[in-house]
């Protein structure tokens, strides 16, 4: 892995440390997490400090009303996985919707809201692996919430697009666009109600969110809008430790959380790509983009057929990742021609935060937290300061589909943390934000690092492409000659000036005893070590 760069071309250097490293997509989150490490906290403490800050200062991207997943490698060994996704209400049956003539989960309604899983997952991680008290861990987040924070440029850029959504909910509009005004970079905003909720969780743990006044207000709000949620649904929310799934790729092992997340799709893409010699100089960059696009099409078609809540419909991961199965997908790829496009009729989602931390003992965490869409459902509980996600859009109302909604069922999730191991040791926790893009983004990033020998920062900075909904979207930084080549193969190519996703990663170099951090230039954040 390269650790130097071209200092003439615009870019970022890797952050370097040896006693701890943090990489997040917001500077305030990075600073808060690093401060916790400096105070003697471990990787879990620091990750929780960082995500709590981002729930305050990055409110469209994430929140305590959302869900999370984590991969955690104690002492830099093999990872365990935590599924912190929420469930549908017990009363949410397909028959209930059919009787009312509802054929798809309607957005911006309580039916799109599943029980938030984030706080339960945070408390589970803290109880099992944390070291500092929650009031210390949440200190920076509470300060930002109660005393205000400055809006950063990328946050303002994304927030400004949500005027229409916020306008649907009077309470959300009053909090996030007071006087009808969206924030500009440098504006000061505050979330005192959310600060009070974080204080309550710090003092009383998960029950402060899933029981008592916070749960009462959220359930009352949702039911007042026609939702099916009950206090029993909130009290029943639990997170689950699950075994990660993995595949070998270019001499390393890549680990993902199992379904109901789309990590399986990322591994399918990598398994398909592994059949091509992507290190070969005989392949052009257009060839690599084409292979990635075709593998993505195949993996996403399969994802939408099989990835679901495995407690309801088990997923045979070993069979799907087996060489005979993958070979059938791989052999359908033609190098000279794009496969036919397929349309997408489900929710598109791009709003998530991802962060990663490695501490002095090499405890390593890969952590992702999301509201699904920007500001989730747009439904806001003002006394609790909680915006509720719209993850229920991952459900279908089609009878017999693996993702048909059901009582206490979890939907298909797009948010996925990643981790790379070698020889039974963690070498790189990483993640790529961007909703539907995430599985494709994981494969692109891993290939850049391990096929092309790029540093994590170079791999993050590289132009991105995404084949989705019949269009191969490419960032405008991609070479025009590559774009022309792809069009010649039959891809419908669209150039975008909208940044595609965001990446954070930490490389653990045991030989040097150093940690190398990377943070995507497409976001406001940074990596910092000490």
């Amino acid at each position: 892995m390269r650790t130097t760069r071209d200092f003439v071309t615009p870019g970022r250097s890797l952050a370097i440390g040896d006693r701890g490293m943090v990489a997040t997509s917001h500077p305030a989150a990075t600073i808060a997490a690093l401060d916790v490490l400096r105070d003697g906290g471990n990787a879990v403490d620091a990750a929780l400090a960082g995500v709590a800050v981002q729930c305050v200062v990055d409110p469209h991207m994430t929140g305590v009303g959302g869900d999370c997943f984590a991969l955690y490698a104690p002492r830099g060994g093999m990872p365990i996985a935590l599924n912190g996704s929420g469930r549908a209400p017990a009363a949410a049956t397909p028959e209930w919707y059919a009787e009312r003539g509802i054929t798809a989960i309607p957005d911006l309604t309580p039916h799109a809201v599943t029980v938030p899983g984030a706080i339960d997952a945070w408390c589970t991680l803290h109880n099992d692996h944390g070291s500092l008290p929650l009031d210390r861990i949440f200190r920076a987040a509470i300060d930002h919430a109660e005393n205000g924070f400055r809006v950063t440029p990328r946050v303002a850029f994304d927030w400004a697009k949500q005027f229409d959504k916020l306008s649907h909910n009077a309470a959300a509009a009053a909090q996030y666009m007071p006087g009808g005004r969206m924030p500009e970079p440098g504006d000061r905003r505050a979330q005192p109600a959310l600060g009070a909720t974080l204080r309550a969780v710090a003092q009383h743990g998960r029950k402060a969110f899933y029981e008592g006044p916070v749960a009462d207000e959220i359930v009352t709000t949702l039911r007042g809008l026609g939702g099916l949620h009950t206090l029993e649904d909130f009290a029943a929310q639990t997170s689950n430790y699950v075994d990660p799934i993995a595949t070998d790729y270019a001499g390393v092992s890549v680990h993902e959380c199992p379904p109901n997340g789309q990590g399986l799709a990322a591994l399918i893409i990598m398994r398909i790509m592994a059949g091509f010699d992507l290190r070969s100089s005989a392949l052009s960059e257009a060839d690599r983009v084409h292979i990635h696009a075709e593998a993505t099409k195949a993996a996403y078609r399969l994802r939408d057929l099989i990835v679901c809540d495995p407690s309801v419909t088990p997923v045979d991961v070993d069979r799907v990742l087996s060489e005979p199965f993958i070979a059938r997908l791989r052999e359908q790829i033609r190098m000279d021609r794009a496969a036919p496009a397929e349309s997408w009729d489900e929710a598109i989602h791009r709003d998530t935060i991802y962060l990663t931390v490695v501490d002095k003992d090499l405890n390593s965490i890969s952590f992702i937290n999301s509201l699904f869409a920007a500001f989730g459902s747009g439904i806001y509980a003002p006394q609790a300061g909680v915006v509720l996600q719209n993850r229920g859009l991952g459900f279908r109302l089609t009878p017999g589909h693996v993702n048909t909604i059901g009582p206490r069922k979890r939907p298909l999730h797009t948010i996925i943390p990643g981790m790379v191991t070698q020889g039974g040791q963690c070498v790189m926790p990483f993640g790529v934000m961007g909703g539907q893009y995430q599985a494709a983004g994981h494969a692109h990033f891993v290939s850049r690092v391990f096929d092309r020998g790029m540093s994590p920062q170079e791999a993050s900075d590289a132009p991105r492409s995404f084949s989705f909904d019949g269009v191969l979207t490419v960032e405008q930084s991609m070479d025009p000659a590559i774009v022309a080549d792809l069009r010649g193969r039959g891809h419908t190519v669209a150039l975008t000036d909208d940044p595609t996703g965001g990446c954070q990663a930490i490389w653990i170099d045991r030989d040097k005893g150093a940690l190398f951090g990377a943070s995507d230039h497409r976001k406001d954040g940074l990596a910092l070590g000490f």
Side-chain angles (χ1 to χ4, degrees):
M1 183 196 77
R2 288 196 294 265
T3 54
T4 60
R5 67 176 179 89
D6 175 359
F7 292 104
V8 175
T9 303
R12 289 183 173 186
S13 297
L14 288 162
I16 300 177
D18 58 14
R19 296 177 59 195
M21 177 65 64
V22 177
T24 88
S25 57
H26 195 288
T30 297
I31 292 168
L34 195 69
D35 283 347
V36 164
L37 290 182
R38 287 179 179 273
D39 280 358
N42 63 23
V44 168
D45 299 327
L48 294 178
V51 72
V53 166
Q54 287 205 249
C55 288
V56 176
V57 303
D58 221 350
H60 59 294
M61 284 286 177
T62 196
V64 300
D67 294 334
C68 75
F69 290 81
L71 291 169
Y72 178 58
R75 298 277 175 174
M78 295 295 285
I80 58 176
L82 181 69
N83 183 333
S85 61
R87 296 172 170 85
T93 65
E95 293 76 18
W96 189 93
Y97 293 96
E99 289 168 2
R100 289 154 180 80
I102 301 173
T103 58
I105 299 294
D107 197 5
L108 307 185
T109 75
H111 302 299
V113 180
T114 52
V115 176
I119 290 294
D120 183 83
W122 296 7
C123 292
T124 298
L125 278 170
H126 180 258
N127 290 338
D128 295 341
H129 303 287
S131 63
L132 297 181
L134 282 175
D135 58 356
R136 170 61 192 92
I137 291 170
F138 290 166
R139 182 188 299 167
I142 292 169
D143 179 62
H144 288 303
E146 295 180 344
N147 299 315
F149 59 92
R150 296 290 178 178
V151 177
T152 54
R154 177 61 197 271
V155 170
F157 174 80
D158 293 325
W159 196 330
K161 299 176 182 179
Q162 303 308 316
F163 183 91
D164 288 344
K165 174 178 281 190
L166 293 173
S167 297
H168 279 86
N169 185 280
Q175 170 61 41
Y176 296 109
M177 44 182 275
R181 180 177 174 273
M182 306 300 271
E184 297 177 353
D187 284 355
R188 178 178 286 278
R189 291 292 175 92
Q191 297 209 66
L194 177 56
T197 292
L198 289 171
R199 283 189 183 277
V201 173
Q203 183 175 359
H204 301 293
R206 72 170 299 282
K207 70 179 183 180
F209 188 89
Y210 295 96
E211 304 172 25
V214 171
D216 288 344
E217 187 199 7
I218 294 173
V219 169
T220 298
T221 299
L222 292 170
R223 293 190 71 86
L225 296 170
L228 302 174
H229 309 73
T230 66
L231 290 173
E232 290 75 20
D233 292 323
F234 272 67
Q237 174 60 29
T238 56
S239 302
N240 303 95
Y241 287 107
V242 289
D243 293 329
I245 57 176
T247 192
D248 292 337
Y249 187 89
V252 298
S253 295
V254 184
H255 302 259
E256 302 276 354
C257 293
N260 55 312
Q262 67 165 334
L264 178 58
L267 299 183
I268 294 169
I269 298 171
M270 290 181 225
R271 292 283 293 114
I272 293 172
M273 290 170 58
F276 298 88
D277 186 4
L278 296 176
R279 301 182 183 189
S280 172
S281 59
L283 285 182
S284 68
E285 186 60 22
D287 289 331
R288 296 186 183 91
V289 175
H290 173 75
I291 291 168
H292 179 256
E294 297 302 287
T296 297
K297 291 178 190 176
Y300 279 45
R301 283 195 297 267
L302 191 57
R303 178 199 71 172
D304 299 335
L305 288 173
I306 66 172
V307 174
C308 61
D309 186 341
S311 69
V312 179
T313 306
V315 181
D316 191 344
V317 172
D318 291 340
R319 175 176 173 269
V320 170
L321 294 179
S322 69
E323 182 56 28
F325 192 97
I326 293 295
R328 291 196 296 271
L329 301 177
R330 190 186 297 126
E331 67 189 12
Q332 298 174 32
I333 296 177
R334 290 179 49 181
M335 291 302 296
D336 63 338
R337 199 72 192 160
E342 292 192 7
S343 62
W344 174 256
D345 62 357
E346 298 302 315
I348 295 175
H349 143 242
R350 297 186 178 89
D351 303 288
T352 294
I353 69 97
Y354 170 83
L355 58 83
T356 178
V357 182
V358 177
D359 64 26
K360 62 182 176 60
D361 297 316
L362 300 187
N363 297 304
S364 307
I365 188 164
S366 183
F367 191 97
I368 198 159
N369 207 97
S370 176
L371 288 170
F372 192 45
F375 288 110
S377 64
I379 298 171
Y380 180 64
Q383 299 304 312
V386 176
V387 176
L388 295 160
Q389 38 86 327
N390 57 342
R391 186 59 65 174
L393 293 180
F395 284 125
R396 308 263 186 122
L397 297 181
T398 307
H401 193 280
V402 294
N403 273 307
T404 297
I405 198 167
R408 302 270 168 88
K409 187 176 180 179
R410 285 168 158 161
L412 164 68
H413 256 267
T414 52
I415 61 173
I416 50 174
M419 188 171 285
V420 177
T421 66
Q422 190 171 35
Q425 295 180 315
C426 175
V427 295
M428 187 175 68
F430 76 97
V432 181
M433 298 167 276
Q436 299 293 350
Y437 173 71
Q438 290 180 50
H442 278 212
H444 178 264
F445 178 75
V446 167
S447 178
R448 290 281 164 173
V449 173
F450 296 102
D451 286 324
R452 307 298 292 159
M454 293 182 176
S455 74
Q457 189 63 57
E458 288 177 306
S460 171
D461 292 343
R464 292 181 178 144
S465 61
F466 184 31
S467 183
F468 186 72
D469 198 19
V471 177
L472 179 59
T473 301
V474 301
E475 293 182 324
Q476 291 195 1
S477 55
M478 187 168 288
D479 186 336
I482 297 173
V483 174
D485 185 310
L486 294 167
R487 284 178 170 147
R489 302 186 201 209
H491 291 283
T492 300
V493 181
L495 297 177
T496 180
D497 57 3
D498 208 23
T500 303
C503 178
Q504 326 292 332
I506 299 173
W507 179 264
I508 302 171
D509 189 327
R510 286 176 172 79
D511 292 335
K512 291 183 177 179
L515 304 171
F516 295 88
S519 182
D520 204 314
H521 70 277
R522 297 168 181 84
K523 299 283 187 176
D524 293 319
L526 71 161
L528 285 176
F530 76 107

